[in-house]
Amino acid sequence: MDGKLFSQDFLLKGITDTPAWKNLTTLQLDEFKQALSSIFANLHATSVINEANTESDIIDKVLNLLGWQDLSLKQVTATQKHREDVPDYLLFANSDKKQLAHAEKKEDRRYLHDLCVVEAKKWLRALDRGDETNKLDPSTPSNQILRYLSSVEIASNRAISYGILTNGAVWRLYWQGARSRSEEFLEINLAEALQVKGLAQNLFSADADHLLKVFYCAFQRTAFLPQTWDVQHRTFHAYALNEARLYEEKVSKDLGQKVFDHIFPQLANALAVNDEKADLTSNAYLEELREATLVLLYRLLFIFYAEDRNLLPVKDIRYDDYALRTIREDIAKRRDANDALSNSASKYWQHLSDLFRIISKGDASIGMPAYNGGLFEESRAPILSRVRLSDTVFAPLLDDLSRSVLGSQRELFRSYINYRDLSVQHLGGIYERLLQYSLTVENKTIIARPASFARKTSGSYYTHDGLVQLVIKEAVGPQIKERLSLFNQQLDDWQHKKELKVEDWKTLEAKDPSAAILELKICDPAMGSGHFLVTLVDYLADNILEIMAQT
């Protein structure tokens, strides 16, 4: 399972508690798996199948198994002279809706009765790269589905917000309301789950049966309809999205509280105890210590997040021995077994110090590019370069940042915090709140105390994500439309031309809206943790990819 539309916590655990999951019996799942297996039985990674045959031999049959039989409508197909710029399929809730769509004379009005759109590609075509050898369809499939979703959302009066993109093997579900539509999708690789020959098997933590059951629950027709078992009558997807949001907020809240109350002050004390230049009577030193503790904390949070989201080369075997997750797992195993930790050795601290240096400067020999944003520069926090924390002190703090404690007092157990399912904005919120804490000394012990501004310490000043998106849309949206309008106006002026000369192509290139958007200079003078700017990058990326497909 790939993509970030639904949390891994929900896909691996939460989904098993839903009636949709429980109502699918073992017999029904076996029959579904057997039917899928018969569709994929004669396929191979080297099979050459064009788009039309992929649709008829694979996609149509899979859609039928998912309950869309007789409820799909194929759109106009491509020809050498002209290609209708529409999704390949429309999927309908019922036969009445399909009949109403059939009766519509205008293409756009069909979307008023539609439930979901599907864009189909030939067998195993790359979904995130264009194909210049394909004269009919050279553009990037993932860009196409973003553009289709935007256009059908308007044409359907916002009735359609979901789209499916597939090459027969890989199936993706996109949602128009995602924070970042280009990244937040659900991807299921059926070919891998069904062990199609010639493909590398990469099922991560989910076994094949679980994967196929998730696929059925998320892509079947009834998942797009209000669920009778849900008191709010949400669709299965809306329910799953809400569960992911609740999980994200709970983990963020619990992690934040643990950091504020426990990890932050203990790290500060540990650094001061091991710093030969420590002077707890100096306000200047306490401020330097505070900065060093914040830098260390956010380095760790960055790596936890980046490794869990595969942003660092965790799949590269050369990186294995240097990864944070290597010591994360080792510490967890030793702590659960009550294994002794050294009071003098600093194995874990040294491991992290090396990793910080590798990330800052890069190391091509283990597949690591340089991250030169400043967070990992040694000069940023001199205290961290001159101290060494023993395993006894550092390992428990690292484990507390890595895992959460669950269960009762009698039966405690620790579960890994899934940083993959936390948004950058949530981590930014923790960091932003930490900035409100200062260090003081009481009875020779360092205490972290929040500033007197209760509103800031509670995090209530933090702008809601929906409002952030609205502000960005209203502020930056017109700038994007203006640049696209200039390009479209040029095309309108040339609509009667039979061909374009070299000078004309240069004129068009100079008005390329995607390039023009990248030239925008946007400033958030009170950026804090970068909540607005992070959301802005997602917004710009989605629009640029969509416009690239359009132009």
Side-chain angles (χ1 to χ4, degrees), residues 28 34 46 51 111 135 188 198 206 262 302 323 476 538:
Q28 289 172 320
Q34 187 175 355
T46 59
E51 187 173 308
Y111 300 125
K135 294 181 180 180
I188 305 287
H262 171 56
F302 173 90
V476 183
D538 289 337

Side-chain angles (χ1 to χ4, degrees), residues 49-330:
I49 312 172
N50 63 26
E51 187 173 308
N53 288 335
T54 302
E55 289 180 8
S56 59
D57 297 344
I58 304 173
I59 297 172
D60 288 351
K61 294 177 180 179
V62 173
L63 288 174
N64 289 343
L65 290 177
L66 293 168
W68 299 104
Q69 190 168 18
D70 300 324
L71 294 176
S72 64
L73 181 62
K74 282 192 177 182
Q75 298 283 70
V76 179
T77 56
T79 66
Q80 282 294 108
K81 294 183 179 180
H82 182 64
R83 177 178 176 87
E84 289 293 336
D85 191 28
V86 294
D88 292 310
Y89 295 78
L90 303 181
L91 303 180
F92 300 93
N94 52 55
S95 55
D96 291 340
K97 293 287 187 181
K98 183 177 177 179
Q99 289 298 324
L100 289 171
H102 255 306
E104 296 288 1
K105 294 181 180 179
K106 291 185 177 181
E107 186 77 42
D108 285 354
R109 290 193 58 81
R110 287 183 174 182
Y111 300 125
L112 293 170
H113 315 288
D114 189 18
L115 195 61
C116 177
V117 297
V118 180
E119 180 62 13
K121 299 300 174 186
K122 70 178 182 180
W123 172 248
L124 290 181
R125 175 173 172 179
L127 299 182
D128 295 311
R129 292 198 308 271
D131 182 3
E132 294 182 0
T133 64
N134 189 333
K135 294 181 180 180
L136 290 176
D137 188 14
S139 60
T140 304
S142 55
N143 294 0
Q144 278 183 282
I145 194 68
L146 297 184
R147 184 161 53 89
Y148 289 150
L149 274 176
S150 291
S151 60
V152 300
E153 182 189 38
I154 296 170
S156 67
N157 292 331
R158 299 187 179 276
I160 302 175
S161 59
Y162 287 96
I164 295 172
L165 173 64
T166 179
N167 59 11
V170 175
W171 290 68
R172 285 184 182 177
L173 179 69
Y174 284 83
W175 179 46
Q176 179 69 358
R179 280 193 194 108
S180 171
R181 293 174 299 140
S182 57
E183 288 190 350
E184 293 183 13
F185 50 80
L186 169 64
E187 178 179 295
I188 305 287
N189 194 324
L190 285 185
E192 283 185 357
L194 297 167
Q195 298 183 341
V196 169
K197 294 179 180 178
L199 291 176
Q201 302 304 307
N202 187 18
L203 297 181
F204 302 102
S205 57
D207 60 42
D209 284 349
H210 186 96
L211 203 66
L212 293 176
K213 201 167 181 178
V214 170
F215 176 71
Y216 184 82
C217 288
F219 286 81
Q220 65 166 317
R221 181 181 64 88
T222 55
F224 296 81
L225 303 174
Q227 304 294 295
T228 56
W229 48 265
D230 180 39
V231 293
Q232 298 181 41
H233 298 290
R234 293 166 293 187
T235 65
F236 178 81
H237 303 130
Y239 173 85
L241 288 164
N242 186 65
E243 288 296 298
R245 180 183 61 80
L246 293 176
Y247 168 84
E248 199 174 327
E249 290 177 353
K250 182 181 184 305
V251 171
S252 176
K253 181 180 178 181
D254 292 348
L255 176 62
Q257 207 57 49
K258 184 194 296 186
V259 168
F260 305 141
D261 296 345
H262 171 56
I263 298 175
F264 181 56
Q266 287 204 25
L267 268 180
N269 271 287
L271 291 174
V273 167
N274 289 274
D275 183 11
E276 59 184 16
K277 295 184 179 181
D279 181 3
L280 300 188
T281 64
S282 167
N283 289 331
Y285 177 78
L286 288 175
E287 183 56 34
E288 182 187 1
L289 178 64
R290 173 182 172 275
E291 174 69 13
T293 309
L294 286 173
V295 168
L296 175 58
L297 267 174
Y298 219 64
R299 283 178 181 177
L300 294 172
L301 290 174
F302 173 90
I303 300 174
F304 279 131
Y305 177 86
E307 288 192 350
D308 280 4
R309 286 207 169 194
N310 298 330
L311 299 176
L312 291 177
V314 292
K315 294 183 180 180
D316 191 327
I317 194 170
R318 298 174 299 171
Y319 176 70
D320 278 355
D321 292 336
Y322 305 95
L324 172 57
R325 64 173 53 179
T326 299
I327 60 173
R328 184 182 186 183
E329 293 168 359
D330 183 59

Side-chain angles (χ1 to χ4, degrees), residues 488-504:
N488 289 334
Q489 183 60 53
Q490 186 65 73
L491 293 182
D492 290 342
D493 292 345
W494 289 345
Q495 61 181 314
H496 297 301
K497 281 195 174 190
K498 293 183 178 179
E499 63 178 356
L500 297 183
K501 298 179 181 179
V502 174
E503 294 77 13
D504 296 332

Side-chain angles (χ1 to χ4, degrees), residues 262-263 266-268 270-271 274 292-293 296-297 299-300 303-304 324 327-328 331 335 341-354 356 384 387-402:
H262 171 56
I263 298 175
Q266 287 204 25
L267 268 180
L271 291 174
N274 289 274
T293 309
L296 175 58
L297 267 174
R299 283 178 181 177
L300 294 172
I303 300 174
F304 279 131
L324 172 57
I327 60 173
R328 184 182 186 183
I331 291 172
R335 200 177 184 194
L341 293 167
S342 172
N343 282 321
S344 57
S346 304
K347 179 176 71 171
Y348 300 120
W349 180 263
Q350 186 59 50
H351 184 116
L352 263 299
S353 298
D354 290 339
F356 294 162
L384 301 182
V387 305
R388 295 170 64 90
L389 300 188
S390 69
D391 294 346
T392 305
V393 172
F394 190 49
L397 291 172
L398 197 61
D399 190 44
D400 287 344
L401 203 57
S402 173

Side-chain angles (χ1 to χ4, degrees), residues 421-464:
D421 289 337
L422 288 176
S423 69
V424 175
Q425 288 88 341
H426 276 96
L427 291 179
I430 293 173
Y431 180 68
E432 203 159 291
R433 287 180 63 188
L434 275 172
L435 294 178
Q436 308 305 320
Y437 279 71
S438 60
L439 298 180
T440 59
V441 180
E442 293 182 6
N443 299 322
K444 299 182 180 181
T445 300
I446 297 171
I447 306 293
R449 291 199 182 283
S452 58
F453 305 105
R455 184 175 70 88
K456 289 188 175 182
T457 18
S458 69
S460 58
Y461 65 98
Y462 198 64
T463 314
H464 188 275

